[in-house]
């Protein structure tokens, strides 16, 4: 069946959180020493890992981890704990880093994100963004004028369901007013985004590489599925 709508994941698909100059300059470990390059790299990995649990959590914070994308308060709670356990002992430093994590203007778009969204919309198809996330990502699109190409945003904390649960995919499809069989889901997680196939959607996997290393994967996927 022909594709009439494309759902895009956000993190690792359309945008990626990449370390900006100065983010970690003032972070100090328990001894008051600045973090070395290796420690900074590991800290960024733990901040941005979308699925992997990178530290040992107690029962209270484990519950928050598993439900973080349903509730902004749980998201904040568990990420502050992850930062504390990752060598950021000062609460003010952890909160400053967390603020960067959830600031839409700190996220870097992939080089072909604008072109992919525009291509879907200009072809008469509907483009949607479907994300497991605990904060509003619409400003990341709006500040660039790209929201004009997105018909609907389906965000887990607003829906109360997370990928791969069928409810969140069903919500996105209904918002777009299309059938699952004519919808393509594009994402970087076989487990989470690939859950769309259970409803009958087509699925395309992209690699969540650094943005500089993945110039045109989105356009390639659209070509493979006959959208371009």
């Amino acid at each position: 069946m022909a594709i009439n709508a494309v759902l895009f994941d956000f993190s690792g698909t359309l945008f990626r959180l990449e370390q900006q100059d100065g983010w970690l300059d003032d972070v100090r470990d328990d001894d008051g020493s600045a973090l070395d390059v290796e420690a900074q790299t590991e800290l960024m990995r733990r901040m941005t890992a979308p699925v992997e649990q990178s530290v040992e959590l107690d029962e209270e914070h484990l519950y928050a981890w598993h439900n973080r994308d349903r509730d902004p308060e749980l998201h904040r709670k568990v990420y502050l704990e992850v930062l504390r356990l990752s060598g950021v002992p000062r609460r003010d430093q952890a909160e400053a880093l967390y603020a960067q994590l959830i600031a839409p203007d700190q996220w870097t778009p992939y080089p072909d994100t604008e072109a992919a969204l525009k291509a879907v919309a200009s072809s008469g198809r509907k483009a949607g963004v479907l994300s497991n996330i605990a904060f509003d990502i619409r400003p990341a699109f709006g500040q660039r004028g790209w929201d004009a190409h997105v018909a609907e945003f389906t965000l887990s904390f607003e829906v109360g369901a997370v990928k791969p649960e069928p409810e969140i995919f069903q919500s996105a499809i209904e918002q777009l007013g299309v059938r699952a069989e004519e919808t393509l889901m594009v994402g970087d997680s076989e487990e989470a985004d690939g859950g769309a196939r259970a409803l009958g959607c087509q699925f395309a996997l992209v690699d969540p590489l650094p943005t500089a290393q993945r110039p045109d994967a989105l356009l390639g996927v659209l070509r493979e599925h006959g959208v371009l």
Side-chain angles (χ1 to χ4, degrees):
M1 181 174 290
I3 298 297
N4 287 317
V6 182
L7 286 169
F8 294 97
D9 172 50
F10 177 69
S11 177
T13 301
L14 294 178
F15 285 72
R16 191 173 187 270
L17 185 64
E18 298 181 332
Q19 183 178 339
Q20 306 295 321
D21 291 342
W23 273 17
L24 304 177
D25 289 353
D26 297 327
V27 177
R28 297 291 184 270
D29 61 19
D30 290 307
D31 298 327
S33 302
L35 302 180
D36 59 26
V37 173
E38 183 177 347
Q40 289 191 21
T41 300
E42 177 60 17
L43 181 56
M44 281 300 300
R45 187 189 68 80
R46 294 183 182 189
M47 285 177 65
T48 59
V51 177
E52 177 188 358
Q53 181 189 329
S54 55
V55 296
E56 290 295 323
L57 298 169
D58 60 26
E59 185 175 348
E60 176 185 357
H61 289 94
L62 190 60
Y63 173 83
W65 175 262
H66 289 309
N67 292 278
R68 66 195 184 281
D69 289 327
R70 302 178 195 268
D71 185 334
E73 287 303 314
L74 292 179
H75 190 275
R76 182 177 186 275
K77 176 179 182 176
V78 74
Y79 270 96
L80 289 177
E81 179 69 0
V82 168
L83 289 169
R84 185 184 72 82
L85 295 174
S86 300
V88 186
R90 284 176 44 187
R91 181 78 174 194
D92 62 325
Q93 292 182 342
E95 289 180 344
L97 286 173
Y98 181 74
Q100 303 296 338
L101 171 66
I102 65 170
D105 61 353
Q106 296 297 319
W107 288 69
T108 303
Y110 280 92
D112 59 343
T113 291
E114 179 182 15
L117 294 173
K118 188 179 294 186
V120 174
S122 64
S123 71
R125 299 174 174 88
K126 293 182 178 180
V129 176
L130 172 57
S131 179
N132 282 355
I133 205 149
F135 55 93
D136 190 1
I137 57 176
R138 293 177 183 88
F141 297 81
Q143 67 188 13
R144 296 174 171 88
W146 299 352
D147 54 332
H149 310 308
V150 180
E152 297 290 346
F153 289 87
T154 305
L155 310 181
S156 61
F157 80 99
E158 295 178 340
V159 176
V162 296
K163 298 175 289 186
E165 295 170 1
E167 291 84 359
I168 192 169
F169 296 110
Q170 189 63 45
S171 177
I173 292 166
E174 290 176 357
Q175 287 184 67
L176 291 176
V178 296
R179 290 179 293 175
E181 293 78 9
E182 56 184 339
T183 303
L184 171 66
M185 177 74 215
V186 182
D188 68 307
S189 171
E190 180 76 35
E191 176 185 0
D193 302 307
R197 287 181 293 210
L199 278 73
C201 299
Q202 298 184 47
F203 171 64
L205 184 69
V206 293
D207 194 334
L209 293 168
T211 55
Q213 298 176 25
R214 210 197 74 192
D216 57 2
L218 297 173
L219 293 175
V221 160
L222 295 180
R223 290 189 189 95
E224 290 171 9
H225 287 81
V227 177
L228 292 183

